[in-house]
């Protein structure tokens, strides 16, 4: 149960560690006082529940059964058992126990010289206290649940592997819930490139044969209707909610990483593979989930569907006004109109992000994805140009430079502003004929359609023989039908 203290902070019952979320750091007690998995007892103070976590050479990790006769253990075990047997326990009693537990301030020391269980204490300004994040209520409950799992592992030592499995499943299912609400469901398909294989594997395993619908509220009244409203275009597709959920999950993942040394020491050796998989795959895939969701919402907020067609020449032979935009005979000093239109679209995108008040880190990621998608779309547009002269290519370079300059003014500090894919494609026009085949074979970032279009543009501008052009197109495993030229 959770309740509000005088300072407005959330306090949890004794079934978790006292003060789990009291000061903004999910595991502050462990950061200051050590490893909760190691139970060496200090009998110097019989009135407190103190643990000596220092492990010395040749010393075994103490087990719960080694201390059955001690009153402190009996008291503690009774508390834990009561918390799980009596589910209807009064919340006020939990709060009183919580206050009593914090008064005891157990003396838990750190296993290993200079080792910090969860990234440091308040004195060195690390952990959640330093990040000062905005956490969801679900994240706080997740912190409480993690603490309870760890408490059980300490008390019910023989069942430690089973409890650890539940610990892992809890976090994995949390990831599935976030993906189900904010992710692109089609990305779960094996042939999709919108998700890393690592993240897909974690989500599929956590779902355990169930559908995503079983992890989401039903559409309709109540929670389902509220969820639909949150993800509507009028609410910027839930941009703020996505950011808070993802940043909360990321903060918890960072905190959990500090538990690995303690868990590795406490779990049986045969569980090491599961431990490494959880921290090496599941926890690491949180970043994959962030990237997937931010990339998806970027596509919803930034409309680029018109860009490629506007840049390229019309595929309608009757529409002569839209043919030969870059087949110029003189170098132009003015940029194309599409540059202004796309700059306006990006300005609107920036205004939407400002309204959502997302974190600086999330803001940079969203802009990175927006710029990457913009660059990819521009290359697609240039590949739709039927004919291009040397003067027209100079016009392309001018357009790219103007747009890139506008993006620098719009994007926040720290953004990659990576336009290399566009620069490479435009400047490839000047590649010598003898080196063109090597260029096509080494630049895998371009599709066959884009490479064929480039070859056709160069052949027309520099007067290549038809046989040379056909041989080159065949050499990259494509054919003339891969472009509309």
């Amino acid at each position: 149960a959770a309740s509000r203290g005088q300072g407005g902070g959330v306090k949890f019952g004794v079934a978790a560690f006292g003060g789990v979320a009291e000061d903004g750091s999910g595991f502050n007690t462990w950061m200051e006082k050590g490893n909760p998995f190691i139970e060496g007892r200090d009998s110097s103070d019989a009135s407190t529940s103190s643990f000596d976590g220092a492990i010395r050479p040749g010393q075994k990790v103490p087990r719960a059964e080694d201390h059955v006769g001690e009153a402190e253990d009996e008291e503690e075990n009774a508390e834990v058992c009561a918390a799980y047997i009596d589910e209807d326990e009064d919340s006020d009693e939990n709060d009183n126990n919580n206050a009593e537990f914090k008064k005891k301030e157990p003396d838990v020391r750190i296993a290993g010289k200079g080792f910090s269980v969860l990234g440091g204490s308040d004195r060195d300004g690390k952990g959640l206290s330093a990040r000062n994040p905005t956490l969801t209520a679900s994240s706080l409950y997740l912190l409480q649940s993690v603490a309870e799992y760890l408490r059980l592992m300490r008390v019910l030592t023989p069942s430690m592997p089973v409890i650890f499995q539940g610990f892992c499943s809890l976090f994995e299912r949390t990831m599935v819930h976030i993906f189900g609400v904010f992710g692109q469901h089609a990305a779960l398909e094996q042939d999709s490139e919108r998700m890393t294989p690592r993240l897909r594997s974690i989500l599929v395993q956590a779902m355990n044969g169930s559908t995503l619908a079983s992890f989401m509220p039903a559409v309709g009244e109540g929670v389902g209707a509220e969820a639909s409203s949150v993800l509507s275009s009028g609410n910027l597709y839930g941009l703020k909610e996505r950011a808070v959920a993802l940043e909360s999950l990321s903060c918890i993942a960072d905190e959990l990483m500090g538990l690995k040394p303690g868990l590795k020491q406490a779990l049986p050796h045969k569980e090491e593979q599961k431990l490494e998989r959880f921290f090496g795959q599941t926890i690491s895939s949180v970043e994959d989930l962030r990237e997937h969701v931010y990339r998806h919402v970027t596509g919803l907020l930034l409309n680029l569907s018109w860009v490629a067609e506007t840049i390229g020449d019309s595929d309608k032979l009757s529409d002569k006004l839209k043919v030969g935009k870059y087949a110029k005979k003189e170098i132009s000093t003015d940029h194309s109109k599409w540059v202004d239109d796309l700059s306006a679209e990006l300005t609107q995108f920036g205004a939407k992000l400002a309204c959502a008040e997302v974190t600086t880190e999330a803001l940079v990621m969203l802009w990175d994805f927006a710029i990457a998608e913009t660059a990819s779309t521009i290359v697609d547009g240039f590949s739709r140009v039927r004919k291009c002269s040397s003067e027209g290519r100079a016009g392309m370079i001018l357009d790219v430079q103007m747009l890139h300059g506008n993006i620098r003014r719009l994007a926040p500090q720290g953004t990659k502003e990576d336009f290399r894919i566009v620069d490479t494609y435009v400047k490839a026009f000047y590649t010598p004929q003898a080196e063109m085949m090597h260029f096509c074979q080494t630049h895998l970032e371009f599709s066959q359609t884009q490479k064929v279009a480039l070859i056709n543009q160069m052949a027309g501008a520099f007067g290549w023989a038809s046989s040379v052009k056909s041989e080159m197109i065949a050499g990259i495993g494509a054919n003339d039908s891969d472009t509309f030229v």
Side-chain angles (χ1 to χ4, degrees):
S3 62
R4 294 281 173 183
Q6 293 179 355
V10 179
K11 297 182 180 179
F12 295 101
V14 72
F17 285 143
V20 167
E22 182 184 13
D23 60 352
S25 177
F27 307 97
N28 186 61
T29 300
W30 307 333
M31 287 192 291
E32 288 188 351
K33 303 186 174 165
N35 191 338
F37 305 105
I38 302 168
E39 262 192 290
R41 293 287 185 175
D42 184 353
S43 58
S44 60
D45 185 359
S47 65
T48 61
S49 179
S50 60
F51 310 97
D52 181 357
I55 295 297
R56 300 167 182 79
Q59 180 181 352
K60 295 183 180 180
V61 178
R63 300 293 182 179
E65 55 265 27
D66 297 334
H67 312 285
V68 173
E70 296 190 21
E72 293 91 340
D73 269 328
E74 294 176 358
E75 212 172 297
E76 183 178 304
N77 292 350
E79 285 178 351
V80 175
C81 292
Y84 281 85
I85 294 173
D86 186 8
E87 296 181 356
D88 295 324
E89 183 178 12
D90 185 79
S91 60
D92 292 337
E93 182 181 348
N94 274 344
D95 290 337
N96 293 334
N97 288 337
N98 183 38
E100 180 183 354
F101 190 85
K102 279 189 281 186
K103 286 180 182 178
K104 293 180 180 179
E105 295 183 348
D107 177 23
V108 184
R109 290 195 288 275
I110 293 171
K113 185 177 180 180
F115 170 70
S116 176
V117 175
L118 287 168
S121 67
D122 289 339
R123 288 186 295 274
D124 51 22
K126 298 179 181 179
L128 286 178
S129 296
R131 295 178 67 165
N132 192 27
T134 301
L135 297 177
T136 62
S138 299
S139 299
L140 294 177
Y141 284 120
L142 179 59
L143 285 174
Q144 178 192 20
S145 299
V146 168
E148 296 202 18
Y149 272 111
L150 296 175
R151 181 84 177 275
L152 280 175
M153 290 172 69
R154 187 177 64 179
V155 175
L156 307 177
T157 305
S159 302
M160 190 176 289
V162 178
I163 299 171
F164 175 68
Q165 186 60 44
F167 171 97
C168 298
S169 298
L170 174 67
F171 190 81
E172 290 170 354
R173 288 178 69 87
T174 301
M175 292 179 62
V176 174
H177 276 284
I178 292 178
F179 172 78
V181 175
F182 299 122
Q184 192 172 9
H185 295 182
L188 280 177
E189 300 294 332
Q190 288 293 336
D191 58 347
S192 174
E193 298 180 355
R194 291 284 181 175
M195 177 184 293
T196 62
R198 176 174 65 181
L199 176 59
R200 183 182 294 112
S201 173
I202 296 297
L203 294 177
V204 170
Q205 178 175 326
M207 290 166 61
N208 195 25
S210 303
T211 62
L212 277 175
S214 63
F215 290 84
M216 299 172 62
V219 177
E221 298 182 358
V223 177
E226 184 178 349
S228 299
S229 175
V230 165
L231 300 177
S232 66
S233 59
N235 193 45
L236 301 179
Y237 301 99
L239 173 59
K240 187 170 185 177
E241 289 77 8
R242 293 173 195 261
V244 172
L246 291 168
E247 297 310 309
S248 296
L249 185 67
S250 179
C251 285
I252 293 176
D254 290 344
E255 292 288 297
L256 293 183
M257 281 300 294
L259 296 176
K260 183 178 178 180
L263 284 168
K264 187 173 183 178
Q265 192 175 32
L267 286 168
H269 181 71
K270 63 181 181 180
E271 300 296 322
E272 186 172 349
Q273 185 176 358
K274 293 180 181 179
L275 180 76
E276 293 298 332
R277 182 186 181 279
F278 177 72
F279 286 100
Q281 298 292 322
T282 303
I283 296 295
S284 299
S285 65
V286 169
E287 187 64 23
D288 298 347
L289 180 60
R290 288 178 73 205
E291 292 180 1
H292 168 77
V293 174
Y294 282 146
R295 189 187 299 274
H296 177 47
V297 75
T298 297
L300 296 173
L301 294 170
L302 182 62
N303 178 23
L304 300 176
S305 60
W306 55 273
V307 175
E309 184 177 351
T310 302
I311 294 176
D313 295 328
S314 174
D315 57 355
K316 298 178 182 178
L317 297 177
S318 59
D319 195 348
K320 296 181 180 180
L321 295 176
K322 293 185 179 180
V323 176
K325 295 177 182 178
Y326 289 99
K328 300 176 180 179
K329 295 183 179 180
E330 296 181 357
I331 298 178
S332 176
T333 57
D334 296 326
H335 60 270
S336 302
K337 184 178 180 300
W338 66 263
V339 174
D340 294 329
D341 294 338
L342 184 51
S343 297
E345 189 72 40
L346 290 167
T347 301
Q348 291 183 18
F349 174 75
K352 293 174 183 177
L353 299 188
C355 290
E357 299 178 347
V358 297
T359 64
T360 302
E361 185 179 0
L363 185 66
V364 169
M365 289 184 68
L366 289 162
W367 267 105
D368 282 340
F369 290 132
I371 293 171
E373 193 63 29
T374 298
S376 178
T377 304
I378 291 173
V379 171
D380 190 26
F382 285 157
S383 72
R384 299 190 184 199
V385 173
R386 291 174 175 272
K387 295 181 180 180
C388 184
S389 62
S390 296
E391 294 80 5
R393 210 64 173 187
M396 281 187 182
I397 295 175
L398 175 63
D399 290 343
V400 172
Q401 289 176 342
M402 288 296 299
L403 180 63
H404 201 183
N406 292 339
I407 288 176
R408 286 195 188 99
R409 289 189 289 271
L410 292 171
Q413 186 177 4
T415 306
K416 295 177 182 177
E417 301 174 8
D418 192 354
F419 251 49
R420 284 177 296 180
I421 189 174
V422 183
D423 292 334
T424 301
Y425 189 80
V426 172
K427 293 176 181 178
F429 181 83
Y430 303 104
T431 303
Q433 178 183 323
E435 299 176 11
M436 193 58 197
M437 180 62 69
H438 180 263
F439 175 89
C440 292
Q441 292 173 342
T442 56
H443 286 271
L444 304 179
E445 67 270 27
F446 302 119
S447 66
Q448 284 191 343
T449 299
Q450 292 169 346
K451 293 174 183 176
V452 170
L454 180 59
I455 291 172
N456 280 313
Q457 292 166 5
M458 295 171 67
F462 302 117
W464 291 0
S466 298
S467 58
V468 173
K469 183 184 77 171
S470 299
E471 181 181 349
M472 195 170 294
I473 291 174
I476 62 175
N479 52 66
D480 288 311
S481 63
D482 286 327
T483 183
F484 50 75
V485 176

